[in-house]
Amino acid sequence: YGCLKCPKNYRRIGFNDVFGCSQDKSFQIWTAMLNRCYGESFQKSKPTYVGCFVCEEWLKFSNFKAWFDENYIMKYSLDKDILFKGNKEYSPMTCCFVPVEINSLLTNSKKKRGTLPIGVSKHYKKYQAHIHKHDKLEFLGTFDSVGEAFNVYKYAKEQYIKELAEKYFQEGKITERVYNALMRYEVEIT
């Protein structure tokens, strides 16, 4: 945080104005968020975070901590792009806490899947569609084209997202804002 021992090329991103909190969950999540947005080595391993940034208000830890203390749910993940799909900004208006199952449900695994769309794999001269549901891989069929396989995956994934949104909302585990965002979520081929 800008002490004399830091290298000269170090640039200070966030300011911790709450002392004695380095073991707090809020501080751990704050530093992880800063690392996702500004850590070069992190972005090399996870390029989907390139271009992400933290709003000016949250660069001061006490501001983030106040929001965190009001919104955090134990064992939930901080999410920046469920409420606003494709969002790159971490801020009080764009972020929410969601169950890990929902947070991981919406990752696109672009780096792992190669050139085919999400939910599609090559099977000889055809294409298979599959989806992960309830921690199991579910086979959706074999198709002649990538487009057919993706459309089947897209429909199944959107239905599964709605199913989980209903379940979590009925149980009082997600807010109405998160519920509404999930209900209108569309899977894109990109």
Side-chain angles (χ1 to χ4, degrees), residues 3-187:
C3 67
L4 295 175
K5 293 181 181 177
C6 293
K8 293 203 186 282
N9 63 355
Y10 176 82
R11 62 186 173 124
R12 188 158 115 184
I13 302 297
F15 179 70
N16 179 11
D17 57 339
V18 180
F19 299 100
C21 63
S22 63
Q23 300 303 313
D24 291 357
K25 187 72 173 173
S26 59
F27 186 77
Q28 293 167 2
I29 290 176
W30 182 68
T31 56
M33 172 184 67
L34 292 174
N35 188 43
R36 285 192 295 273
C37 293
Y38 305 109
E40 291 176 18
S41 61
F42 183 88
Q43 290 185 357
K44 280 182 185 172
S45 67
K46 298 199 190 285
T48 57
Y49 286 95
V50 171
C52 289
F53 63 98
V54 177
C55 72
E56 190 73 28
E57 177 185 350
W58 277 8
L59 293 177
K60 187 175 176 184
F61 176 61
S62 60
N63 292 334
F64 176 80
K65 183 170 177 30
W67 179 87
F68 176 94
D69 290 344
E70 192 174 308
N71 293 282
Y72 180 66
I73 300 168
M74 191 178 289
K75 297 186 179 179
Y76 276 32
S77 298
L78 177 65
D79 187 273
K80 66 170 174 31
D81 52 8
I82 284 179
L83 298 176
F84 302 96
K85 192 172 181 185
N87 174 54
K88 295 282 192 178
E89 179 183 27
Y90 283 89
S91 75
M93 293 303 300
T94 60
C95 289
C96 58
F97 284 102
V98 295
V100 172
E101 182 178 22
I102 288 178
N103 196 38
S104 60
L105 176 69
L106 303 179
T107 58
N108 68 16
S109 305
K110 194 172 191 174
K111 190 175 179 181
K112 292 180 187 175
R113 71 174 194 259
T115 59
L116 292 173
I118 190 167
V120 178
S121 62
K122 185 96 166 140
H123 186 70
Y124 299 104
K125 293 183 179 184
K126 296 195 178 240
Y127 300 91
Q128 290 184 338
H130 41 80
I131 184 173
H132 281 90
K133 285 178 72 173
H134 309 292
D135 294 325
K136 294 181 181 168
L137 185 64
E138 184 178 306
F139 177 71
L140 300 172
T142 302
F143 305 90
D144 292 328
S145 74
V146 170
E148 288 175 290
F150 174 75
N151 286 333
V152 168
Y153 165 79
K154 174 183 169 58
Y155 178 79
K157 182 77 169 212
E158 289 172 356
Q159 294 308 305
Y160 184 50
I161 291 168
K162 289 178 172 119
E163 176 190 323
L164 286 181
E166 287 287 344
K167 173 185 174 265
Y168 278 101
F169 187 65
Q170 294 302 321
E171 293 173 356
K173 294 182 177 178
I174 58 172
T175 65
E176 189 171 351
R177 280 181 82 201
V178 172
Y179 170 79
N180 289 335
L182 291 170
M183 293 304 284
R184 65 178 177 266
Y185 190 88
E186 291 184 26
V187 175

